[in-house]
Amino acid sequence: MGAAESPDIESQARLLELINAAWTTQAVAAACGLELPDRLAAGPRDVHGLALEAGADPDAVTRLLRALATLEICDELPVGTFALGRLGHLLRRDHAHGLRHWALLNGGPLWTRWGALSEKLRHGNAEASGEGSTKRFQRLETDDQEAVLFHGAMTELSRGLGSSLTDLLDVPDGALVVDVGGGSGELLASVLVRNPTARGILCDLPHALAHAPPLLRRHGVQDRCALQEGSFFEGVPSQGDLYLMKSVLHDWGDGQAACILNRCREAMKPGARLVLVERLLPDRATATPENRALARSDLNMLVGLAGRERTLAQYRTLIEEAGLLLEGTQKLAAGFSALEVASVHGSALAID
């Protein structure tokens, strides 16, 4: 065997870990499906009683819990007893910064879509016209279970961004903040909490706004936030001082993204500002955890929707073609960036 053919045990082990990684998605989702993190929240449990309560097979649950112990989701104690682990708390229903919906969404509705990756690679994104994304979001109007998972997951991801974005935003006293495609309103609520004289408009489709009232009440901002049903392809509320759009443009191809930006430009009065919250692809991909997360998100857009993640240069092109000005970017938490956009009517930075 030549030198070039010598076995590299370390590389093989690393590659096997990557190839076999799918099991962790399903194991975490299964734990949430059986509500094991919630059942373990009060303290260590005997596996037989735990399985009986969950309506599951004790031997199978034991095997799952032992697997989860290797992921720090739970801890294996004396024989037959398990406790919630360091990461397991983030899968509880009541955790303020949890990711339970995101785990169930990835282990359920998104799971089968990844199986279409090879087909997408052979034929390209035939749904790049926007039909693919439109169909996905229309499905949320009729599939209540997927809608709950999707909007819950989006709320969880927005919750992790709230403080990093509000720390940067300059919101004048009495400003009207319009969240375009804001879903349940988590991001807008965080802005209103930080700025007690500001008012808000949450604009989205009916299936998204249906989840907003309890969230806005929980944050204590329901009296300062109006809900407005509508499609951002047809128009967005006018007279706003600050417009927010998080993870909207990446759901769509360039043609649809340009249309959304045009609707924003048409609504923006002189001096109004737009902040886009999106992931920015690097100009050159490298083997870093940050780049892997961005690559996963980009492929997720390929298999699940008609969208894509974009580089800063690609966003600049879209923004300028819509008659807007990209004035700067700021790094946020969780791999996101804030893109500061001004109307050509007048330039004023939204971010300090």
Side-chain angles (χ1 to χ4, degrees):
M1 181 180 292
E5 299 177 341
S6 300
D8 183 343
I9 302 302
E10 183 177 342
S11 296
Q12 286 182 338
R14 170 62 179 147
L15 185 57
L16 277 172
E17 183 180 19
L18 295 174
I19 293 170
N20 295 334
W23 77 270
T24 64
T25 301
Q26 286 299 327
V28 174
C32 292
L34 293 176
E35 300 184 348
L36 298 182
D38 295 291
R39 300 180 195 282
L40 288 170
R45 295 286 303 275
D46 171 78
V47 71
H48 287 277
L50 188 64
L52 182 65
E53 185 178 289
D57 177 73
D59 178 65
V61 171
T62 300
R63 294 162 70 177
L64 174 63
L65 290 171
R66 298 199 72 191
L68 293 172
T70 71
L71 302 176
E72 300 182 89
I73 303 297
C74 67
D75 296 321
E76 185 171 13
L77 304 179
V79 178
T81 306
F82 290 85
L84 201 56
R86 183 176 68 88
L87 300 183
H89 292 279
L90 290 169
L91 298 173
R92 296 188 344 247
R93 285 180 179 272
D94 62 349
H95 197 289
H97 302 285
L99 292 168
R100 178 179 179 274
H101 290 92
W102 185 242
L104 288 169
L105 186 67
N106 278 270
L110 295 184
W111 181 258
T112 55
R113 294 169 195 166
W114 278 93
L117 178 58
S118 294
E119 189 72 12
K120 294 282 187 179
L121 296 176
R122 290 189 182 94
H123 302 290
N125 197 338
E127 298 177 326
S129 64
E131 183 180 356
S133 293
T134 299
K135 287 180 179 178
R136 294 298 184 213
F137 289 118
Q138 286 177 339
R139 178 184 175 90
L140 300 180
E141 297 176 8
T142 57
D143 189 328
D144 291 341
Q145 183 176 6
E146 184 169 345
V148 168
L149 289 181
F150 176 81
H151 292 299
M154 295 306 102
T155 295
E156 290 169 350
L157 297 183
S158 293
R159 191 176 293 146
L161 279 174
S163 61
S164 67
L165 179 61
T166 55
D167 285 346
L168 295 173
L169 286 178
D170 177 19
V171 182
D173 287 343
L176 177 60
V177 183
V178 181
D179 194 344
V180 180
S184 302
E186 178 68 32
L187 196 63
L188 179 56
S190 67
V191 173
L192 295 180
V193 168
R194 179 66 68 90
N195 300 275
T197 66
R199 297 165 295 121
I201 297 178
L202 181 63
C203 180
D204 211 322
L205 296 173
H207 67 76
L209 296 182
H211 301 268
L215 187 150
L216 297 174
R217 284 196 297 271
R218 187 164 64 249
H219 285 284
V221 299
Q222 70 277 15
D223 294 336
R224 291 190 285 130
C225 186
L227 307 183
Q228 182 167 325
E229 295 182 2
S231 166
F232 40 55
F233 290 117
E234 299 171 1
V236 302
S238 60
Q239 299 306 308
D241 298 294
L242 173 62
Y243 289 81
L244 301 176
M245 282 204 302
K246 173 194 169 288
S247 299
V248 170
L249 297 185
H250 84 148
D251 287 336
W252 303 93
D254 287 350
Q256 293 70 45
C259 178
I260 297 167
L261 287 171
N262 273 307
R263 299 294 84 80
C264 289
R265 175 183 52 78
E266 292 165 359
M268 292 169 70
K269 63 185 181 181
R273 301 155 292 156
L274 167 65
V275 174
L276 304 174
V277 178
E278 296 282 357
R279 296 178 174 92
L280 292 179
L281 288 177
D283 293 325
R284 177 175 176 269
T286 57
T288 65
E290 181 181 9
N291 279 196
R292 281 194 291 275
L294 291 167
R296 182 215 63 81
S297 185
D298 188 38
L299 290 180
N300 192 43
M301 294 297 102
L302 176 63
V303 299
L305 293 165
R308 64 189 309 128
E309 303 298 352
R310 296 176 172 89
T311 64
L312 179 58
Q314 289 172 322
Y315 273 116
R316 186 186 301 277
T317 298
L318 284 175
I319 290 165
E320 291 179 350
E321 288 180 350
L324 297 165
L325 301 174
L326 176 60
E327 295 198 327
T329 64
Q330 292 279 358
K331 282 271 194 180
L332 299 175
F336 285 88
S337 293
L339 285 71
E340 311 155 37
V341 179
S343 165
V344 293
H345 299 301
S347 162
L349 283 180
I351 296 177
D352 290 332

